Amino acid sequence: MDSSAVYPRPMLKQLPAYQSGQPPVETPGLTPYKLASNENPYAPVPQALEAMTAAVTAEVVQRYPETTYLKLRELISQTYEVPVDDVTVGAGSLGILTGLVQTFAGTNDDGSQDEVIIPWRSFEAYPIVIRSAGAKDVQVPLRPDSTMDLEAMLAAITDRTRMIMLCTPNNPTGTIASTSALRAFIQQVPEHILVAIDAAYLEFVRHDDVDNYLELYREFPNVAVLRTFSKAHGLANMRVGYSIATPQISLPLKVVVPAFATSSVGVEAAHASLMHLDDVLANTEKVVTERARVWQAFRELGYNPPVSEANFVWLPLGELAQAFSEACDAQALSVRAFHPEGVRVSVGELEANDRVIQVATDFAPRLQR
Ligand SMILES: *Cc1c(COP(=O)(O)O)cnc(C)c1O
């Protein structure tokens, strides 16, 4: 080792690099579209933009925000009928998730690592957050139908397990676990293990047996539900997310989540957006309609997509994943390839969806049937 240089903790060698969705390749004559990051194709509600504009004054931006984000927490508390103290606001739900892992899992004094069970494939950020906290991610493969294998996740519990991540709808497959399936699952999880339900795409779910998973938080003191303003509310760049969890989780979490984690400008936008939740949900309806159209097209072409309850569709293309993604690039569309497993295609603008269906049509002869 070169003793004259700084060096990162050895654990960093084990971290996968986070691959963010890439911008589309520019092609003359084609409007480029990004279908790679599950962003909302529709603008935030106008009141959110107005609230932000109003919040950008010298007096506001030269000061730190009110650290507990009480105004937004009170609105969340009223909207979802939960105690205000059970709500923690942070820099996106990823900020909250990072805080949760740092609070509940890491490396112990004897060098042993706590274990965090995650479904896999799932949100790429999970292994990075868990490993950088010094804990160990235990990856439980999805079932062949791309849903979380809850039985296998139960079987993966050991004396070292401190936390279980559930992602529903799951990124990148769009599949969900129903409330009753999760209830049956959590009933069998020892109460000292934190169960974190990442529901980033909840507003896009149209399933009879999913409300908002808050009934599970009400039934089980070891459950935290994570939500975000990044997806349905169309405020990804504002970095506002939150968790709802009982005090045994929320109190230590609030110690770890950094003070001033997010800006009051973004929080004002989130507040205004939540005040107009009906309009936000009306926008999700448009995405859901397009999701059905895109999914149906992929299905008829033989791509075998699992039913999606999110704002994206998963194509289990295996070894063809990279080639499909390149075919999209050539048409000024960026999608997210997870080679050699599949490709995640976000539901976007009408024209973008039309074009990805055209790419899929042209590519279809390469599928093995
Ligand atoms: C997009 C996404 C989030 C949201 O992250 P933010 O930090 O709130 O922007 C969280 N979880 C999953 C699974 C996601 O796909």
Side-chain angles (χ1 to χ4, degrees):
M1 189 178 302
D2 179 355
S3 61
S4 67
V6 299
Y7 55 95
R9 293 157 64 203
M11 158 284 288
L12 257 82
K13 292 207 184 69
Q14 305 158 27
L15 293 191
Y18 184 83
Q19 312 251 353
S20 57
Q22 296 300 306
V25 179
E26 302 276 338
T27 309
L30 285 177
T31 308
Y33 289 107
K34 184 178 174 205
L35 301 178
S37 296
N38 301 341
E39 292 150 343
N40 199 323
Y42 299 107
V45 294
Q47 294 88 349
L49 294 173
E50 285 156 20
M52 250 184 285
T53 308
V56 180
T57 66
E59 302 86 90
V60 170
V61 302
Q62 81 195 83
R63 310 281 175 198
Y64 285 107
E66 186 277 302
T67 39
T68 74
Y69 306 106
L70 183 61
K71 180 175 151 187
L72 176 60
R73 285 168 51 235
E74 278 176 344
L75 182 60
I76 293 168
S77 157
Q78 289 157 20
T79 306
Y80 297 111
E81 298 178 337
V82 299
V84 67
D85 286 342
D86 288 7
V87 182
T88 309
V89 167
S93 51
L94 198 49
I96 295 290
L97 173 65
T98 304
L100 275 177
V101 173
Q102 288 173 342
T103 305
F104 291 97
T107 306
N108 299 295
D109 291 343
D110 65 358
S112 66
Q113 286 182 301
D114 295 328
E115 294 177 352
V116 181
I117 297 173
I118 64 172
W120 199 253
R121 179 163 284 278
S122 189
F123 190 28
E124 285 177 286
Y126 297 156
I128 300 173
V129 168
I130 294 164
R131 291 179 204 177
S132 52
K136 182 169 184 279
D137 53 308
V138 176
Q139 303 184 354
V140 176
L142 301 178
R143 294 195 192 99
D145 66 356
S146 300
T147 59
M148 287 190 289
D149 191 339
L150 296 174
E151 268 170 47
M153 292 180 88
L154 272 183
I157 294 174
T158 71
D159 291 346
R160 297 243 160 96
T161 307
R162 298 295 317 279
M163 182 169 169
I164 300 175
M165 278 305 310
L166 300 171
C167 190
T168 177
N170 186 49
N171 176 4
T173 58
T175 47
I176 51 153
S178 70
T179 303
S180 35
L182 288 189
R183 177 178 294 113
F185 170 79
I186 299 166
Q187 271 163 353
Q188 295 177 75
V189 174
E191 276 181 38
H192 69 275
I193 297 175
L194 169 64
V195 178
I197 302 176
D198 183 348
Y201 301 95
L202 186 76
E203 295 90 343
F204 299 105
V205 176
R206 302 289 182 273
H207 188 281
D208 289 345
D209 193 4
V210 177
D211 181 11
N212 55 20
Y213 298 121
L214 288 177
E215 50 276 64
L216 300 172
Y217 137 84
R218 292 194 176 92
E219 287 166 44
F220 303 99
N222 55 330
V223 167
V225 177
L226 274 56
R227 309 270 316 251
T228 181
F229 287 91
S230 296
K231 305 289 161 52
H233 290 267
L235 294 168
N237 199 345
M238 290 297 104
R239 312 307 306 131
V240 186
Y242 62 95
S243 62
I244 297 178
T246 55
Q248 64 163 341
I249 299 167
S250 294
L251 288 178
L253 173 64
K254 285 185 166 89
V255 176
V256 171
V257 170
F260 318 120
T262 191
S263 80
S264 63
V265 178
V267 168
E268 285 295 333
H271 184 276
S273 192
L274 193 55
M275 287 284 284
H276 297 87
L277 185 57
D278 288 348
D279 297 337
V280 171
L281 296 178
N283 273 340
T284 66
E285 203 53 48
K286 294 191 255 177
V287 174
V288 167
T289 303
E290 277 296 282
R291 170 179 81 200
R293 181 172 78 93
V294 171
W295 182 84
Q296 188 68 29
F298 282 133
R299 189 180 140 91
E300 283 166 10
L301 289 165
Y303 284 80
N304 210 10
V307 172
S308 172
E309 295 283 353
N311 63 343
F312 52 85
V313 176
W314 172 246
L315 307 177
L317 280 159
E319 293 290 346
L320 289 173
Q322 192 58 38
F324 183 86
S325 160
E326 285 163 13
C328 290
D329 285 341
Q331 296 299 317
L333 296 173
S334 66
V335 295
R336 187 72 175 82
F338 297 88
H339 194 80
E341 289 160 71
V343 173
R344 189 191 68 201
V345 180
S346 307
V347 176
E349 297 80 355
L350 298 187
E351 185 188 335
N353 301 337
D354 286 344
R355 201 185 301 161
V356 81
I357 291 171
Q358 187 58 51
V359 171
T361 307
D362 297 342
F363 191 88
R366 298 185 61 178
L367 301 178
Q368 288 157 350
R369 288 160 202 254

